[in-house]
Coordinates of all heavy atoms in Angstrom, one line a residue:
E239 N 88.3 -17.4 -34.1 CA 89.4 -16.4 -34.0 C 90.6 -16.8 -34.7 O 91.2 -16.0 -35.4 CB 89.7 -16.1 -32.5 CG 90.8 -15.2 -32.3 CD 90.5 -13.8 -32.8 OE1 89.3 -13.4 -33.0 OE2 91.5 -13.0 -33.0
T240 N 91.0 -18.1 -34.6 CA 92.2 -18.6 -35.3 C 91.9 -18.5 -36.8 O 92.8 -18.1 -37.6 CB 92.4 -20.1 -34.9 OG1 92.6 -20.1 -33.5 CG2 93.6 -20.7 -35.6
T241 N 90.7 -18.8 -37.3 CA 90.4 -18.8 -38.7 C 90.5 -17.3 -39.2 O 91.0 -17.0 -40.2 CB 89.0 -19.4 -39.0 OG1 89.0 -20.7 -38.5 CG2 88.7 -19.3 -40.4
R242 N 89.9 -16.4 -38.4 CA 90.0 -15.0 -38.7 C 91.4 -14.5 -38.8 O 91.8 -13.8 -39.8 CB 89.2 -14.2 -37.7 CG 89.1 -12.7 -38.0 CD 88.6 -11.9 -36.8 NE 89.5 -11.8 -35.7 CZ 90.6 -11.1 -35.7 NH1 90.9 -10.3 -36.7 NH2 91.4 -11.1 -34.6
Q243 N 92.3 -14.9 -37.9 CA 93.7 -14.4 -37.9 C 94.4 -15.0 -39.2 O 95.1 -14.3 -39.8 CB 94.4 -14.8 -36.7 CG 93.9 -14.1 -35.4 CD 94.6 -14.6 -34.2 OE1 95.3 -15.6 -34.2 NE2 94.3 -13.9 -33.0
L244 N 94.1 -16.3 -39.5 CA 94.7 -16.9 -40.7 C 94.2 -16.2 -41.9 O 95.0 -15.9 -42.8 CB 94.3 -18.4 -40.7 CG 94.8 -19.1 -42.0 CD1 96.3 -19.1 -42.0 CD2 94.3 -20.5 -41.9
G245 N 92.9 -15.8 -42.0 CA 92.4 -15.1 -43.1 C 93.1 -13.7 -43.3 O 93.4 -13.3 -44.4
N246 N 93.3 -13.0 -42.2 CA 94.0 -11.7 -42.2 C 95.4 -11.9 -42.7 O 95.9 -11.1 -43.5 CB 94.0 -11.1 -40.8 CG 92.6 -10.5 -40.4 OD1 91.8 -10.3 -41.3 ND2 92.5 -10.3 -39.2
R247 N 96.1 -12.9 -42.3 CA 97.5 -13.2 -42.7 C 97.5 -13.5 -44.2 O 98.4 -13.0 -45.0 CB 98.1 -14.3 -41.9 CG 98.5 -13.8 -40.5 CD 99.5 -14.8 -39.9 NE 99.0 -16.1 -39.7 CZ 98.3 -16.6 -38.7 NH1 98.1 -15.8 -37.7 NH2 97.9 -17.8 -38.6
M248 N 96.5 -14.2 -44.7 CA 96.4 -14.6 -46.1 C 96.2 -13.3 -46.9 O 96.8 -13.1 -48.0 CB 95.3 -15.6 -46.4 CG 95.7 -17.0 -45.8 SD 94.4 -18.2 -46.0 CE 94.3 -18.3 -47.8
V249 N 95.3 -12.4 -46.5 CA 95.0 -11.2 -47.2 C 96.3 -10.3 -47.3 O 96.6 -9.8 -48.3 CB 93.9 -10.4 -46.5 CG1 93.8 -9.0 -47.0 CG2 92.5 -11.1 -46.7
E250 N 97.0 -10.3 -46.2 CA 98.2 -9.5 -46.2 C 99.3 -10.1 -47.1 O 99.9 -9.3 -47.9 CB 98.8 -9.4 -44.7 CG 98.0 -8.6 -43.8 CD 98.5 -8.8 -42.3 OE1 99.4 -9.6 -42.1 OE2 97.9 -8.1 -41.5
A251 N 99.4 -11.4 -47.2 CA 100.3 -12.0 -48.1 C 99.9 -11.8 -49.5 O 100.8 -11.5 -50.4 CB 100.4 -13.5 -47.8
V252 N 98.6 -11.9 -49.8 CA 98.2 -11.6 -51.2 C 98.4 -10.1 -51.6 O 98.8 -9.9 -52.7 CB 96.7 -12.0 -51.4 CG1 96.1 -11.5 -52.7 CG2 96.5 -13.5 -51.3
N253 N 98.2 -9.2 -50.6 CA 98.4 -7.8 -50.9 C 99.9 -7.6 -51.2 O 100.3 -6.8 -52.1 CB 98.0 -6.9 -49.8 CG 96.5 -6.8 -49.7 OD1 95.8 -7.0 -50.7 ND2 95.9 -6.5 -48.5
R254 N 100.8 -8.2 -50.5 CA 102.2 -8.1 -50.7 C 102.6 -8.7 -52.1 O 103.4 -8.1 -52.9 CB 103.1 -8.8 -49.7 CG 103.2 -8.0 -48.4 CD 104.2 -8.6 -47.4 NE 104.0 -10.0 -47.1 CZ 103.3 -10.5 -46.1 NH1 102.6 -9.6 -45.3 NH2 103.1 -11.8 -45.9
L255 N 102.0 -9.8 -52.5 CA 102.2 -10.4 -53.8 C 101.7 -9.4 -54.9 O 102.4 -9.3 -55.9 CB 101.5 -11.7 -53.9 CG 101.6 -12.5 -55.2 CD1 103.0 -12.8 -55.5 CD2 100.7 -13.7 -55.2
V256 N 100.6 -8.8 -54.7 CA 100.1 -7.9 -55.7 C 101.1 -6.7 -55.8 O 101.4 -6.3 -57.0 CB 98.7 -7.4 -55.3 CG1 98.3 -6.1 -56.1 CG2 97.6 -8.5 -55.5
D257 N 101.5 -6.2 -54.7 CA 102.5 -5.1 -54.8 C 103.8 -5.5 -55.5 O 104.3 -4.7 -56.3 CB 102.8 -4.6 -53.4 CG 101.7 -3.9 -52.7 OD1 100.7 -3.5 -53.4 OD2 101.7 -3.7 -51.4
E258 N 104.3 -6.6 -55.1 CA 105.5 -7.1 -55.8 C 105.3 -7.3 -57.3 O 106.2 -7.0 -58.1 CB 106.0 -8.3 -55.1 CG 106.6 -8.1 -53.7 CD 107.0 -9.3 -52.9 OE1 107.2 -10.4 -53.6 OE2 107.1 -9.2 -51.7
T259 N 104.2 -7.9 -57.6 CA 103.9 -8.1 -59.0 C 103.8 -6.8 -59.8 O 104.3 -6.7 -60.9 CB 102.6 -8.9 -59.2 OG1 102.7 -10.2 -58.5 CG2 102.2 -9.2 -60.7
S260 N 103.2 -5.8 -59.2 CA 103.1 -4.5 -59.8 C 104.5 -3.9 -60.0 O 104.8 -3.3 -61.1 CB 102.3 -3.5 -59.0 OG 100.9 -4.0 -58.9
D261 N 105.3 -4.0 -59.0 CA 106.7 -3.6 -59.1 C 107.4 -4.3 -60.3 O 108.1 -3.6 -61.1 CB 107.5 -3.8 -57.8 CG 107.0 -2.9 -56.7 OD1 106.2 -1.9 -56.9 OD2 107.3 -3.2 -55.5
L262 N 107.3 -5.6 -60.3 CA 107.9 -6.3 -61.4 C 107.4 -5.9 -62.8 O 108.2 -5.8 -63.7 CB 107.8 -7.8 -61.2 CG 108.5 -8.4 -60.1 CD1 108.1 -9.9 -59.8 CD2 110.0 -8.4 -60.3
R263 N 106.1 -5.7 -62.9 CA 105.6 -5.3 -64.2 C 106.1 -3.9 -64.6 O 106.5 -3.7 -65.8 CB 104.1 -5.2 -64.1 CG 103.4 -6.6 -64.0 CD 101.9 -6.5 -63.9 NE 101.5 -6.3 -65.3 CZ 100.2 -6.2 -65.6 NH1 99.3 -6.1 -64.7 NH2 99.9 -6.0 -66.9
R264 N 106.3 -3.0 -63.6 CA 106.8 -1.7 -63.9 C 108.3 -1.8 -64.4 O 108.7 -1.2 -65.4 CB 106.8 -0.8 -62.7 CG 105.6 0.2 -62.7 CD 105.8 1.2 -61.6 NE 105.9 0.7 -60.3 CZ 104.9 0.2 -59.5 NH1 103.7 0.2 -60.0 NH2 105.2 -0.2 -58.3
E265 N 109.0 -2.7 -63.7 CA 110.4 -2.9 -64.1 C 110.6 -3.5 -65.5 O 111.4 -3.1 -66.2 CB 111.1 -3.8 -63.0 CG 111.4 -3.1 -61.7 CD 112.0 -4.0 -60.7 OE1 112.6 -5.0 -61.0 OE2 111.8 -3.6 -59.5
V266 N 109.7 -4.5 -65.8 CA 109.8 -5.1 -67.1 C 109.4 -4.1 -68.2 O 110.0 -4.0 -69.2 CB 108.8 -6.3 -67.1 CG1 108.6 -6.8 -68.6 CG2 109.4 -7.5 -66.3

């Protein structure tokens, strides 16, 4: 369960990173 929760947090963090990277690419 701890591993599953950690995995979910990692996926959320990567998704935020993808969104922010997309925003930066648009701005550039």
Side-chain angles (χ1 to χ4, degrees):
E239 177 62 19
T240 300
T241 301
R242 185 191 67 78
Q243 290 175 357
L244 177 61
N246 286 343
R247 286 195 300 270
M248 289 176 66
V249 166
E250 291 169 1
V252 169
N253 285 338
R254 283 193 303 273
L255 178 62
V256 167
D257 291 343
E258 290 176 16
T259 302
S260 295
D261 292 345
L262 289 172
R263 291 181 81 183
R264 261 191 304 281
E265 290 177 21
V266 167

